[in-house]
Amino acid sequence: MVHQQSSRPRLSPASDTEDIVTLLAPRLAHFAGVARTEHVTRAAREMNVPQSTLSRAMVRLEEDLGVDLFARRGRTVSLTTAGRAFLASVERALAEIERAADEVRADADPTTGKVAFGFLHTMGAETVPGLLHAFRADHPRVRFSLVQNYGEAMLERLRAGELDLCLTSPVPDAPDLVARRLDEQKLRLVVPADHRLATRRRVRLAEAAEETFVTLEPGYGLRRITDDLCREAGFKPRVAFEGEEAETLRGLVAAGLGVALLPPPAVARPGVVELTVTAPRAAREIGVAWLEGRPDTPPVAAFKKFLLSRRGNLLPT
């Protein structure tokens, strides 16, 4: 087979990588098929491609690369040294593409697919395990990739496509997100067991105006709620310690290092007393959020429907 001189310019080594990939990628499977059979007619039959189309594709591939990949004898071909080297890389690339396709199909499978689910640290001990247990009663083989983080970090991971859904507080209000309120969780003023307020069952938050507070770091939803509630009670909290996890804050309170506004613990902690706050109303809304306009895979759609069905009944009683 004699190559016709083409007026189409060859790719030079300086060509943009994206242009090279766009040009060559559709022909790689054809090249691998011809290289495997070493026969154009047989390869065309196996790949259900017209022989003339396959022959032209191989010629154009060589022209674009500027390298002879085949030695031709009629319809029989054999790989050149350059062709063998190219084939090894092409087979690795095609295998990786096949692996990636298998992976995304598996993740979208209605029965065995995967959900990337984010939630607040305070929901990890009891709420989320209970939710997953209930969901898997009807979907026993759905897999989960679980991420615990604070609200803003999870929303950024939603936007980056790393999460499908997240439970967060406060419920976000952003044009690129969809959010639904699911439940409300009361917050308590947690004080050391030997604190002056420890004998009380209820307290107005203003009564803690002179106390030292331990809180989550700025950026956490619960920190924002704490600051807002203290402001509503007429004071700015004096913060001595900032942390990243509610149970660590309880430990600091037990050690006598301050007081904290926290949701109820999964397990009662010794050394602290948890007081109902009567004024202002101390609670946080819990909601589920997802990215606006992103199509759901069947397992994500099923879990989203499940979470929405738990509205008003999300948290353990």
Side-chain angles (χ1 to χ4, degrees):
M1 183 184 294
V2 178
H3 289 200
Q4 298 279 330
Q5 185 67 33
S6 173
S7 61
R8 298 167 67 251
R10 293 180 177 179
L11 291 169
S12 71
S15 294
D16 183 83
T17 300
E18 185 175 345
D19 292 342
I20 295 174
V21 171
T22 301
L23 193 61
L24 300 185
R27 301 174 189 154
L28 298 185
H30 289 168
F31 165 75
V34 174
R36 183 174 59 253
T37 61
E38 295 191 328
H39 197 281
V40 175
T41 302
R42 192 177 306 132
R45 186 166 56 248
E46 288 183 3
M47 291 186 286
N48 197 28
V49 176
Q51 179 180 310
S52 58
T53 300
L54 193 59
S55 294
R56 286 196 299 271
M58 293 305 95
V59 170
R60 288 172 181 168
L61 178 62
E62 290 177 311
E63 290 177 348
D64 290 332
L65 290 173
V67 176
D68 287 327
L69 301 175
F70 298 104
R72 293 166 170 80
R73 293 181 296 278
R75 302 196 185 282
T76 301
V77 296
S78 59
L79 288 169
T80 63
T81 300
R84 283 193 298 274
F86 190 55
L87 176 63
S89 295
V90 166
E91 287 181 331
R92 287 195 297 271
L94 293 175
E96 181 63 19
I97 292 171
E98 184 176 3
R99 183 203 63 76
D102 288 343
E103 185 175 293
V104 296
R105 282 196 294 261
D107 286 349
D109 185 273
T111 303
T112 62
K114 186 172 74 173
V115 180
F117 181 44
F119 51 92
L120 300 168
H121 289 287
T122 51
M123 317 227 87
E126 192 173 8
T127 300
V128 168
L131 290 172
L132 298 184
H133 177 77
F135 176 74
R136 282 169 66 90
D138 293 323
H139 304 82
R141 298 173 63 195
V142 168
R143 297 169 290 125
F144 283 83
S145 173
L146 302 177
V147 173
Q148 290 177 270
N149 216 321
Y150 66 97
E152 287 300 321
M154 284 193 297
L155 298 184
E156 288 308 307
R157 295 187 74 163
L158 271 183
R159 293 181 170 106
E162 298 172 12
L163 290 177
D164 298 310
L165 302 164
C166 72
L167 285 182
T168 188
S169 178
V171 180
D173 180 14
D176 60 335
L177 300 175
V178 180
R180 297 288 183 268
R181 181 186 183 277
L182 296 180
D183 216 333
E184 182 181 87
Q185 188 175 47
K186 291 184 178 179
L187 302 179
R188 299 170 176 173
L189 183 68
V190 185
V191 302
D194 60 356
H195 191 271
R196 64 182 177 84
L197 297 173
T199 58
R200 304 266 297 275
R201 294 181 59 187
R202 294 177 175 81
V203 65
R204 290 178 294 107
L205 189 55
E207 295 179 72
E210 300 305 316
E211 299 291 335
T212 297
F213 276 72
V214 296
T215 70
L216 296 179
E217 294 179 349
Y220 283 67
L222 187 56
R223 170 61 180 272
R224 192 188 326 161
I225 293 169
T226 296
D227 290 344
D228 289 346
L229 287 172
C230 290
R231 187 180 307 110
E232 190 175 347
F235 69 96
K236 181 178 181 180
R238 293 187 295 116
V239 177
F241 295 93
E242 296 174 332
E244 297 181 344
E245 206 275 322
E247 288 311 302
T248 299
L249 299 187
R250 270 194 176 83
L252 295 174
V253 173
L257 298 174
V259 302
L261 276 171
L262 295 173
V267 178
R269 177 162 191 147
V272 301
V273 174
E274 311 218 356
L275 307 175
T276 299
V277 178
T278 59
R281 189 170 182 277
R284 66 172 180 171
E285 291 186 337
I286 307 294
V288 60
W290 61 89
L291 195 64
E292 171 71 41
R294 178 185 294 164
D296 291 333
T297 63
V300 171
F303 189 56
K304 180 189 292 184
K305 181 179 179 180
F306 167 79
L307 289 176
L308 293 174
S309 76
R310 300 293 290 244
R311 186 180 285 113
N313 191 34
L314 181 78
L315 304 172
T317 56

